[in-house]
Amino acid sequence: MAILKIISSKSARNTIKYLLDEQAHNTDLTSERALKIDSQNVDLNFNADKNLFTMYVYNQFSAVREIAKKKDKKEQARHLIFSFSDDEFNLTKDNLKEKSEQALTLCSDFLRKKLPDQAQFLTVAQADSDGHKLHVHAVVNSVMLDKKNVDTNLYNTISGRKYRSILDDFQTYMSSNFEKITGKKYEVNFDTSHKELKNSSFERIKERGGYVWKDDLKERIRQAKLYSSDLMSFEKNLALTGVNVTKRRASLGKDATGKKIYREAYTFSFVDQDQKQRKIRDISRTKSGALKGLGEDYTPLSLERSFKTKHRDTDKDKSKVKTVSKPIKKTPERPEGLSNVLLHQQQERIREEQERKEKETRAVELALYGVTKEELAKQKELEQQKQAKINQARKELSKVNRLRKNVKALVTRLENAFKALQQQHSRMQKFREANKPVKFDINNSDFRHYLNLVEPNRVARPFLSKADFERTIEKSEKITKSPQKQQTKSKDEGLEL
């Protein structure tokens, strides 16, 4: 029987990219990720680069939300997965294309009947799973072409007063149309039991080898059941594993008289491997009617039934055993043994989880940097040491440059001082040459006449500077040219030396 799974998608782009761009997960039957593609209100006629096809499809989804001014909508799409068994489609390499086209036709036609004409969706047929099962993925945009949101009640998995379950509608459609398309009869086998409830996000984490706290809780409950004979011992043994059990009343609806019916229920709480407080009920329903929790096997009623069945099986085994002369001593239950077993198992799980995380970390580091974290740390340390040496050399060089500048400035000052001294020396030389004393002959009549004329009372000097001599000659010439003025001048007026 075909199975339908529905997942809420917060990123339509990532979902479409997952369906179209990734490599085939299993290449035993085919190396192609997408075997067949169909759509409604999505243009698939794109003959350019294959890598741009995903962006071309996603942009159409994004454009519809943007036109409706709902680009930042929290839920961008719904991801539907139609899975078929070998009874419906037994795949081989020869009939792969034919069967995939039939499955795609069934799923696309069902969505066209279930969803409005303005809805926008993309369907992709694949067969690259580990079990080689044929399945069809459908991505339905949360906004339609008429700018309205797709009614989420259409995805309800439980029938209500107004809407039928999409699961029931799909099975009804398959019963009516499967034989028309494939030529085979479709067998419906409804399984309404909810003994083990599963979450799609936890299943994906589990497939990647990650830690799922619900599985950890179920394993602790299973271990406690092995060492328990009734609900009281079960609750005590479960406390030894670190799980607290709280009893409560859960409503089952109303009877014929309108009175509410209640059942005894459990709420489990514990601290998981990541040191986070977890709390979950055995089984309950959301406001929309969907089931949530661990499952029916974890209700007090189901647990009590399992203990009674265990007692009956034990009594049957005892009746088969032949009696012996010595009485067999019954060993009492030892919850301490349970705690030791669970503690050992928990330690093993933690150790395996740490090893797995270390391997994943090393793999990521090798993929990103080409080396491990330790090697990268060593390289960084060497680079830091090298950089420290470079910085030290730069500091020394800067000191040398400063010293060089200071020496250069000092040399420049000395050169300027030397030039100033040279200029001063040249000026002194000129002054000395200009004021160099000249020796005159005292017996010279002209000179004696000048001295007697200008300074009759002055004692004659044997030496006179050149400048004084020139001034004296000029003075004598003036005196000779104007003798009258010479006589009127005061006798005290002397020769300027």
Side-chain angles (χ1 to χ4, degrees), residues 204-212 353 356 360:
R204 289 194 295 271
I205 295 173
K206 192 175 179 180
E207 289 175 0
R208 295 194 296 266
Y211 171 74
V212 180
E353 184 69 17
R356 184 188 62 79
E360 289 181 354

Side-chain angles (χ1 to χ4, degrees), residues 21 46 48-59:
D21 283 356
F46 187 79
D49 188 1
K50 185 179 179 181
N51 297 327
L52 299 176
F53 179 70
T54 302
M55 186 179 295
Y56 177 70
V57 174
Y58 165 72
N59 286 339

Side-chain angles (χ1 to χ4, degrees), residues 471-485:
R471 287 196 292 272
T472 302
I473 296 301
E474 291 177 359
K475 196 76 171 178
S476 63
E477 289 178 353
K478 289 181 181 180
I479 292 172
T480 305
K481 290 180 180 180
S482 57
Q484 295 178 356
K485 292 181 180 180

Side-chain angles (χ1 to χ4, degrees), residues 400-414:
V400 172
N401 289 334
R402 286 197 298 270
L403 183 60
R404 186 182 296 172
K405 287 181 181 178
N406 294 335
V407 171
K408 190 175 181 180
L410 182 60
V411 169
T412 304
R413 289 174 62 186
L414 291 174

Side-chain angles (χ1 to χ4, degrees), residues 90-135:
N90 190 8
L91 298 180
T92 61
K93 290 185 178 181
D94 297 331
N95 65 1
L96 184 61
K97 291 186 178 180
E98 179 186 358
K99 299 298 182 182
S100 60
E101 188 171 356
Q102 292 175 356
L104 189 69
T105 302
L106 284 167
C107 297
S108 298
D109 290 347
F110 167 70
L111 291 176
R112 288 188 181 96
K113 291 183 179 180
K114 180 70 176 177
L115 301 175
D117 295 336
Q118 297 294 319
Q120 187 181 37
F121 65 80
L122 174 74
T123 51
V124 181
Q126 296 178 351
D128 60 343
S129 61
D130 293 335
H132 308 107
K133 306 294 184 185
L134 183 61
H135 54 280

Side-chain angles (χ1 to χ4, degrees), residues 15 27 32 67 74 76 97 104 146 155 166 203 218 341 347-348 356 386 395 402 439-440 473:
T15 306
T27 58
E32 295 181 4
I67 291 172
K74 187 175 181 181
Q76 295 185 357
K97 291 186 178 180
L104 189 69
D146 56 1
Y155 305 114
I166 189 173
E203 290 298 315
K218 289 179 181 179
V341 171
Q347 290 175 351
E348 287 293 325
R356 184 188 62 79
K386 185 177 178 181
K395 288 181 180 178
R402 286 197 298 270
K439 189 175 181 180
F440 296 98
I473 296 301

Side-chain angles (χ1 to χ4, degrees), residues 190-246:
F190 289 101
D191 184 11
T192 58
S193 64
H194 303 285
K195 294 183 178 181
E196 288 279 351
L197 296 180
K198 296 182 179 181
N199 187 290
S200 57
S201 60
F202 287 154
E203 290 298 315
R204 289 194 295 271
I205 295 173
K206 192 175 179 180
E207 289 175 0
R208 295 194 296 266
Y211 171 74
V212 180
W213 64 269
K214 277 190 178 181
D215 291 345
D216 186 9
L217 177 59
K218 289 179 181 179
E219 179 63 23
R220 298 187 189 193
I221 294 173
R222 189 184 69 82
Q223 291 290 340
K225 283 174 64 178
L226 291 176
Y227 289 84
S228 305
S229 57
D230 54 15
L231 290 177
M232 187 177 295
S233 61
F234 169 74
E235 293 172 4
K236 291 181 180 179
N237 292 337
L238 199 57
L240 294 174
T241 66
V243 180
N244 297 322
V245 184
T246 306

Side-chain angles (χ1 to χ4, degrees), residues 128-150:
D128 60 343
S129 61
D130 293 335
H132 308 107
K133 306 294 184 185
L134 183 61
H135 54 280
V136 177
H137 292 269
V139 185
V140 185
N141 198 354
S142 59
V143 182
M144 298 186 291
L145 299 183
D146 56 1
K147 303 181 182 180
K148 295 180 180 179
N149 294 335
V150 177

